[in-house]
Each structure stands twice: as structure tokens, then as C-alpha cells.
Amino acid sequence: MTGDELAGTELTVVAREQVAAEVVALSLARPDGGDLPGWSPGAHVDLALGPGLVRQYSLCGDPADRSVLRIAVQREPDGRGGSRWAHGRLTVGVTVRVHGPRNTFPLVAARRYLFVAGGIGITPIHPMVAAADAADADWRLAYGGRSRATMAFATPLRERYGDRVRLCPQDETGLLDLAGLLGRPGDGLVYCCGPESLVRAVEEHCADWPPGRLHVERFAPRGDTGEPETAIEVELALSGRTVTVPPGIPILRAVEEAGVPVLSSCREGTCGTCETPVLAGVPEHRDSLLTAQERAAGDTIMICVSRARTPRLVLEL
């Protein structure tokens, strides 16, 4: 993934556009007009919206345009406050601290793609579609939402790419026909982002597919794995300390309380900021980022949510 080139840089909102009901697109730039870090489709940035209020937003602009970073924020009345803060306060001229870009959802080169987006999940998919088209790949996009009015970028995508884009407003066509869309595994890749119900349904359909064919990104944690928790010991190899992590306490919190600083952001296993190398022991993964192959390898862990299948872990901290 990309590092944290911005590292808390103050960026200014230079444009704000209503792109759907309850969705605003924001363009962020350096106050001096200088170039911003490069990024690739699938990348996101972290916005520090207030004390203890850090949120991740996928970049949905043009990677070739180094003058701005564009994000889209959907207002969630029942959310945890980030979207309300962004909608209410991030007006043109306001500055905000930004970290990133980082990419935990990269577009792998392929000859054929199926993109599946639900709601605000279109944001990382939008630049992927443009990249696939520029590479002359064979691609299709199936984009679902509650209604046309709620589907950001739906009209420009359809106007630009025609029948390659299938718009499926639920109030007109019902839910996405995943069985018809996905069928059997071919030689292409599937990229999916959207509500947890959609991501889980796609994962279930593709459960028996060859590894590496399906790529997903979540905006919310997977949820409780149902695994019982016991106390574990975590050795911090670089710091020379060992901490005991009680049941119900994240490794990240225990490490921080031991006085070892760790870069973190979402604290729910969705952003990848706290990813830490595992030197010994077997992680019990609870994040929403690692692939099946990465989980099986067991050499990295998101310490904000994951625990251990062994009584002891040794981490490179």
C-alpha cells in the first residue's frame, strides 16, 4: 500500500458539488496550490474531522490530476458523526488535516473485469472503471442503489460508457441479480464495494472461485467472528516489552497503554493504518482488508481488531 505522504497536511476545500441526494463531492488542494501525492485507483485518504473523529474516504477523481484530491461523502443520519460533520462543516475555504493516500484495494492488471458497486461504494470503483477503459480491457459495471436520485455519478458514468454500465435502482429494478451477473468463474476479476449485505452476498457466491478472482472493500467492520476470547501475551520485539491483553481489549489499546505509540486511524479493521508484522504466533484475523491468502500466511495483523489463535504473539513493534 502507499505510505502516508501527507501525514496530517492541512488541505483546503476548493470545490463542493452535490452529486446525489445526500452525497457531496469535495475537492481538496494545498493552500499554496502545490502538487499532491500520486495515487492509484482504489486508494483512500483519512480526514481528521475533529478530536477522535477520523474517517476514511475513497478517492474518486483523476489520478493524473495532482492539483486536487476528490472524495465523495454520503450523509448518514444514523452514523457515528463523521458524515454529518463533513456535510455541515466542510465548505469551500475550510481546511482539514489529511493523511495518506493509502491503497488497500488496488486494481490488478487484467484483460476482463466485472465491477459491482452499491451506493457510496461507487467511489473507489469510479476511477477503476476509467483505468480499465483506458487500458482497453473488457469490463462491465453493475451499480445498484436505493433510487437513481441517491446514486452518485450514475448519469455521467452512463453517458460516458453507455451499455457497459448497468444502473439498477432498487425502486425500479429490485436488488442486483448477482447470480446472473457473476455466473461461473471466468478468466476475469471481480471488484466489489458497497454495503455489508452486498459484499457478503458476492463473497458467498464466489466462495468456491479460484483465489485472487474476487477483490472487495468494506466501509464497515465485518462484525464479531463469534470466536471466544481469552487473555493473550503480546511481545513487542522492537520495544523489548511484553503486554497481557485481556479478553475484550484490542491489542492496539493494550500496546498504547504500555506506552508504545502506534499509528492508527479507523480502529475497526477497515483502513489498514495499524497493520503490523507478525514474527511468531498465529493471528486470529478480524479485519476487513486482508485476502484469504494473506490471512493464511499469518505474517501480518491489524491490531485494532484482530487477536490470536495462540497464547502468544510476537509483533514487530
Side-chain angles (χ1 to χ4, degrees):
M1 68 181 70
T2 308
D4 186 9
E5 287 90 343
L6 289 172
T9 300
E10 294 273 355
L11 299 185
T12 303
V13 179
V14 295
R16 176 177 168 128
E17 178 188 3
Q18 195 80 32
V19 292
E22 302 298 325
V23 181
V24 293
L26 304 172
S27 295
L28 309 173
R30 292 187 185 274
D32 62 4
D35 281 351
L36 289 160
W39 59 279
S40 57
H44 70 268
V45 290
D46 298 348
L47 269 58
L49 302 176
L53 195 61
V54 178
R55 296 291 182 266
Q56 296 75 47
Y57 297 104
S58 297
L59 294 171
C60 57
D62 179 1
D65 184 356
R66 300 287 293 275
S67 66
V68 297
L69 295 175
R70 194 179 193 219
I71 62 172
V73 183
Q74 177 173 282
R75 182 178 175 84
E76 298 284 358
D78 299 324
R80 293 172 298 141
S83 70
R84 293 194 300 275
W85 200 102
H87 273 249
R89 301 194 187 186
L90 288 185
T91 55
V92 173
V94 171
T95 60
V96 61
R97 284 193 297 115
V98 180
H99 289 268
R102 289 193 303 276
N103 199 338
T104 56
F105 189 44
L107 183 66
V108 178
R111 292 183 300 171
R112 189 170 292 108
Y113 299 96
L114 171 63
F115 299 107
V116 182
I120 199 62
I122 192 62
T123 50
I125 299 296
H126 191 284
M128 289 185 178
V129 164
D133 195 67
D136 291 325
D138 178 11
W139 65 269
R140 293 176 295 140
L141 165 63
Y143 177 17
R146 296 191 307 274
S147 66
R148 288 181 186 271
T150 66
M151 297 169 64
F153 312 122
T155 298
L157 280 166
R158 180 70 179 186
E159 289 177 347
R160 181 173 181 180
Y161 300 115
D163 290 342
R164 284 190 170 190
V165 175
R166 181 188 298 183
L167 301 180
C168 302
Q170 187 175 343
D171 61 349
E172 298 177 24
T173 64
L175 296 174
L176 287 168
D177 176 17
L178 296 181
L181 286 169
L182 296 166
R184 298 180 179 180
D187 59 353
L189 303 181
V190 175
Y191 277 78
C192 175
C193 185
E196 180 64 15
S197 57
L198 172 65
V199 175
R200 281 190 181 274
V202 171
E203 285 180 326
E204 290 171 4
H205 186 95
C206 301
D208 297 329
W209 285 23
R213 296 286 178 84
L214 174 63
H215 301 259
V216 303
E217 182 172 60
R218 287 175 158 85
F219 290 141
R222 283 178 182 266
D224 189 359
T225 63
E227 295 283 346
E229 289 190 4
T230 58
I232 58 174
E233 281 196 342
V234 177
E235 179 183 339
L236 312 179
L238 302 182
S239 304
R241 302 183 187 183
T242 298
V243 299
T244 299
V245 184
I249 301 298
I251 295 174
L252 173 62
R253 177 176 160 187
V255 170
E256 289 176 330
E257 290 178 350
V260 178
V262 180
L263 186 63
S264 65
S265 180
C266 73
R267 295 179 177 258
E268 56 184 23
T270 60
C271 76
T273 306
C274 69
E275 184 173 4
T276 302
V278 176
L279 305 180
V282 180
E284 192 258 289
H285 297 292
R286 300 183 179 186
D287 65 275
S288 302
L289 292 167
L290 297 177
T291 66
Q293 293 84 357
E294 290 167 334
R295 289 167 180 264
D299 55 8
T300 190
I301 185 175
M302 306 300 170
I303 61 172
C304 64
V305 291
S306 298
R307 292 186 67 83
R309 296 189 181 279
T310 49
R312 186 179 180 86
L313 282 180
V314 182
L315 303 180
E316 193 175 283
L317 284 174

